[in-house]
Amino acid sequence: MDLGKFEEDNSQSCRLSSAVPEVCKTQDCCLGIDEAGRGPVLGPMVYGICYCPISKKTDLQDLKVADSKTLSEAERENLFGQLEEANGYVGWALHILSPNTISTGMLQRAKYNLNALSHDAAIGLVQYALDCGVQVKELFVDTVGPAEKYQEKLSQRFPGIVVTVRPKADSLFPIVSAASICAKVSRDRVVKSWKFVEDLGEVDTDYGSGYPNDPKTKAWLAKYLDPVFGYPQFVRFSWSTAQTIMESKAVPVHWDDDEQDGEKAAAKQNCASMLSYFSRKKPESAGREPHRYFAERRLETVENL
Amino acid sequence: MSCKLGDRGSYIRSANFESYSTFASLPDVGSLYLFGGGDLQLYEVKAFNEDYHSWFIGQTVQRDGRLLYVTPMDPLYLLLPYLLKAGKEGKFQPVDQIVVDEEFPGCRRVLSCARALKSLGHVAEEREVGSQKFHRYSQEKTMVWLKKKVDRTVKALKNSKICVGGGVKSSTFFRTTQQSDVQEEDYIRYAHGLISEYIPEELCKELLTYLQLPETTSPVSVEPPIKKRKLSDKPVEAEEDYTKFNSGDLGKKPVKKLTAAQKTLAKVDKTGMKSLSAFFSPKAKTEKK
């Protein structure tokens, strides 16, 4: 697996894929989808698909691919090697969602939440397989959110394909297990060899699993907080772990879509809250209102410097 | 002398700032002006200031996202309030006596600006006795001068395609095309408003009359004062007795004409239908038994 394409610019998302085996273009195929790195505060989330002809399902089972979570890293690497050797009938594709994509998506004005991001990544990969000529007839997916809704969404999106959405699909269907191995292996490699675009000097790469409850991850987050910028792009800013630290330790930053309610917001926006109508106050400025030329351009007189 | 601009660390050389009030009527509000070129030039300082802005400058962050504009200014605007004030005494006085301000001693520096002394003639009558000059504020001259300023501003507004119509309210939206229904009066009124930023309030109204602009009725509708209830010891009585319409003598009421739709509805067989009010009354207890 060549991660070069992603490492070139790890602020963007990127798709990696194997060559499409010829049999997959002629025979009916099954396709499994799984993801790795949904929970961690560090690193990318990787979506993986694996596909093979339905007739070759047993061959896949013989490789003893299993849920990636039950395997050690070495076992996963070994199995991925076997999947690559089986390239005569097994194909895969990956969509690496960079932590930056996740942060900016979830924190933008029109929120793009993780579930929507996940669904779109999965749909994109299936469409990619179809575009490559893979004869997908069966689709197996580990669920994200309510299984029924997701199944309905995928069935509508891909008419003619039998969609099966199940929780724990990665331990039920070998093709999903294979997809989970591809996703997990690539995420491990990306995280291990993360190239920081930021100039951090010698970076301490001992950040543990990247999950919020890992003490090593916590220590790393505490160490690499910049009071102004927060974190390198390696960190998912949208995670409450990161946000809590930034709120308490970093410089406060206010955005004009900050959600605040009540009097605080009213005071900030300089609009009168209901309460102010009941208190008798001297009008704030005895002077004239600035002409609208200045008001519209937000130009004001400078009183001191 | 030099003065530091913000935290940027850059300096404007051979210039300095002076706090000074434009409006003699508002002595506690000082505005900042900049003198340049050995006090020959006068500049006003305006700041673009909008919420939620900050600067990245070199390797530093400036939390205040203000952008300062230093623009040339006619020194006469700053001298005018003093002339006006002294003019109330109706005497010819030397400039040294007119331009005096304990609050802002820097005001005297305005006099050394290029053309400042010469331009006094635009707003004041001059008399020369010996080598000394005496001035007295003149309303007529000032109006003529201000009208010229308004005319020039109108020209500038047209040249820079400033939208003067009533439509624009948003700070982020500017019309690029000129509205066709914008009239000359809109331009003059807008220019008058701009000039008014620089002159004492009493002159604004005078100028409005001089420009033969009718006073606009404020579009802001003033809310009628809340009616106060008269307090008295007498028991409160309803002004109208609505109960009389509910009494039995319905026959007295004039029979309303029914619309065609109501007539057809009236003919419908209503047997077995519940009346609308039945849905809101408690259910008959007999049914429960």
Side-chain angles (χ1 to χ4, degrees):
Chain A
M1 192 190 327
D2 178 21
L3 292 169
K5 195 180 157 197
F6 176 68
E7 283 170 351
E8 236 170 62
D9 178 10
N10 61 22
S11 65
Q12 300 295 315
S13 292
C14 156
R15 185 191 292 131
L16 302 172
S17 57
S18 71
V20 179
E22 280 308 313
V23 282
C24 295
K25 293 181 184 170
T26 51
Q27 292 184 32
D28 285 356
C29 290
C30 59
L31 189 148
I33 311 177
D34 200 16
E35 116 280 306
R38 193 176 165 77
V41 62
L42 301 178
M45 178 162 85
V46 181
Y47 256 80
I49 58 166
C50 237
Y51 51 87
C52 73
I54 294 170
S55 57
K56 292 279 191 183
K57 264 187 185 173
T58 45
D59 297 48
L60 202 63
Q61 233 150 0
D62 294 341
L63 288 179
K64 293 204 167 36
V65 288
D67 174 12
S68 65
K69 287 181 207 89
T70 65
L71 304 168
S72 71
E73 200 178 327
E75 286 172 316
R76 283 197 300 263
E77 285 285 347
N78 179 33
L79 278 170
F80 182 70
Q82 290 188 39
L83 283 172
E84 290 217 291
E85 274 170 37
N87 59 11
Y89 63 95
V90 179
W92 53 265
L94 298 168
H95 187 71
I96 305 177
L97 291 147
S98 71
N100 187 43
T101 309
I102 297 169
S103 302
T104 50
M106 289 171 76
L107 294 174
Q108 73 194 19
R109 268 166 205 256
K111 303 281 175 277
Y112 186 23
N113 70 38
L114 200 63
N115 276 4
L117 205 67
S118 300
H119 288 182
D120 291 349
I123 288 167
L125 281 170
V126 176
Q127 190 59 51
Y128 169 74
L130 292 171
D131 292 346
C132 289
V134 179
Q135 297 299 308
V136 183
K137 290 291 174 293
E138 295 173 1
L139 190 58
F140 298 94
V141 194
D142 200 350
T143 190
V144 172
E148 278 168 34
K149 268 194 182 170
Y150 193 22
Q151 181 159 332
E152 200 185 305
K153 185 174 175 180
L154 287 172
S155 304
Q156 277 185 351
R157 180 68 181 72
F158 300 109
I161 298 178
V162 181
V163 182
T164 312
V165 178
R166 282 291 163 74
K168 299 208 176 78
D170 49 353
S171 53
L172 296 171
F173 311 105
I175 196 70
V176 180
S177 309
S180 94
I181 286 166
C182 293
K184 185 75 175 152
V185 166
S186 73
R187 176 175 146 91
D188 285 347
R189 291 188 189 176
V190 166
V191 168
K192 237 183 208 171
S193 63
W194 186 266
K195 288 195 174 62
F196 289 89
V197 287
E198 296 81 9
D199 181 17
L200 297 174
E202 276 295 302
V203 189
D204 175 8
T205 52
D206 193 17
Y207 30 69
S209 66
Y211 278 86
N213 54 6
D214 185 331
K216 274 188 179 176
T217 304
K218 275 187 184 168
W220 191 88
L221 285 173
K223 186 177 169 186
Y224 280 96
L225 177 76
D226 181 283
V228 173
F229 298 100
Y231 285 110
Q233 284 187 1
F234 186 47
V235 177
R236 300 182 192 172
F237 282 67
S238 45
W239 254 237
S240 63
T241 323
Q243 284 179 341
T244 314
I245 300 175
M246 286 194 290
E247 267 165 34
S248 60
K249 303 248 169 67
V251 175
V253 177
H254 304 288
W255 303 93
D256 69 356
D257 61 341
D258 275 350
E259 276 166 33
Q260 273 184 330
D261 38 38
E263 262 203 288
K264 222 173 157 188
K268 196 166 215 174
Q269 287 171 11
N270 223 350
C271 62
S273 91
M274 262 315 264
L275 290 169
S276 71
Y277 287 102
F278 299 103
S279 61
R280 289 219 177 267
K281 250 195 288 176
K282 232 172 67 179
E284 269 184 30
S285 61
R288 293 175 275 184
E289 286 282 303
H291 186 252
R292 67 177 231 238
Y293 176 87
F294 297 112
E296 281 166 3
R297 285 158 184 80
R298 299 281 184 273
L299 286 171
E300 55 182 39
T301 308
V302 178
E303 283 162 28
N304 49 53
L305 211 64
Chain B
M1 207 178 156
S2 56
C3 187
K4 201 175 175 194
L5 251 189
D7 284 343
R8 178 157 184 187
S10 70
Y11 296 83
I12 292 184
R13 300 210 176 277
S14 68
N16 58 37
F17 294 94
E18 192 73 55
S19 196
Y20 176 82
S21 171
T22 336
F23 305 109
S25 56
L26 296 169
D28 53 328
V29 183
S31 311
L32 219 52
Y33 297 94
L34 188 138
F35 292 98
D39 284 8
L40 282 175
Q41 297 296 323
L42 175 73
Y43 303 91
E44 70 165 333
V45 187
K46 287 262 182 208
F48 167 79
N49 194 6
E50 201 169 39
D51 284 346
Y52 311 108
H53 284 66
S54 296
W55 291 110
F56 282 109
I57 304 161
Q59 292 299 308
T60 60
V61 181
Q62 174 68 34
R63 69 171 290 175
D64 162 1
R66 290 200 304 176
L67 183 61
L68 294 180
Y69 291 89
V70 176
T71 46
M73 180 167 173
D74 188 338
L76 199 50
Y77 284 117
L78 292 188
L79 297 173
L80 188 57
Y82 297 103
L83 281 157
L84 191 66
K85 199 175 151 204
K88 299 224 164 87
E89 296 163 32
K91 288 185 289 191
F92 279 91
Q93 291 179 68
V95 185
D96 289 347
Q97 276 176 39
I98 295 171
V99 186
V100 180
D101 197 332
E102 282 173 21
E103 204 96 32
F104 303 101
C107 65
R108 302 192 74 90
R109 294 175 63 185
V110 180
L111 291 171
S112 53
C113 285
R115 294 191 312 279
L117 283 173
K118 278 184 198 162
S119 63
L120 281 177
H122 291 304
V123 297
E125 291 169 57
E126 290 173 301
R127 249 179 225 178
E128 222 163 320
V129 178
S131 60
Q132 232 187 338
K133 263 192 178 176
F134 297 85
H135 293 89
R136 187 173 70 180
Y137 171 74
S138 156
Q139 180 92 341
E140 302 86 72
K141 282 186 141 191
T142 305
M143 286 301 136
V144 174
W145 176 66
L146 285 174
K147 170 133 194 341
K148 277 184 197 158
K149 288 281 186 194
V150 168
D151 292 343
R152 284 179 162 206
T153 309
V154 167
K155 211 179 268 179
L157 287 171
K158 285 177 179 169
N159 285 343
S160 39
K161 296 193 165 62
I162 303 286
C163 183
V164 298
V168 175
K169 286 280 183 280
S170 163
S171 62
T172 47
F173 176 73
F174 291 102
R175 270 179 228 273
T176 46
T177 50
Q178 285 292 296
Q179 285 166 289
S180 50
D181 58 339
V182 175
Q183 285 157 12
E184 191 65 17
E185 190 195 310
D186 292 325
Y187 277 106
I188 298 171
R189 203 175 280 283
Y190 196 98
H192 169 266
L194 271 177
I195 301 286
S196 296
E197 289 279 305
Y198 296 90
I199 56 176
E201 206 162 355
E202 49 184 300
L203 287 182
C204 303
K205 280 182 193 145
E206 292 284 343
L207 183 58
L208 208 59
T209 333
Y210 186 77
L211 293 168
Q212 294 175 331
L213 286 175
E215 284 223 43
T216 43
T217 46
S218 173
V220 185
S221 61
V222 182
E223 271 183 64
I226 301 159
K227 278 180 195 166
K228 274 189 185 168
R229 203 166 279 182
K230 276 180 194 164
L231 292 172
S232 71
D233 298 332
K234 286 178 189 170
V236 180
E237 268 184 58
E239 286 178 14
E240 282 177 76
D241 185 7
Y242 296 103
T243 54
K244 62 189 171 194
F245 296 114
N246 289 340
S247 55
D249 49 4
L250 287 164
K252 283 181 185 172
K253 276 209 271 180
V255 182
K256 278 182 192 165
K257 275 184 186 170
L258 296 175
T259 63
Q262 281 172 322
K263 273 179 193 164
T264 46
L265 268 177
K267 284 176 197 159
V268 171
D269 179 19
K270 293 192 197 69
T271 49
M273 279 186 180
K274 274 186 188 176
S275 80
L276 197 59
S277 59
F279 290 96
F280 300 99
S281 56
K283 276 178 189 168
K285 279 179 183 170
T286 46
E287 283 173 20
K288 279 184 183 172
K289 277 175 189 171

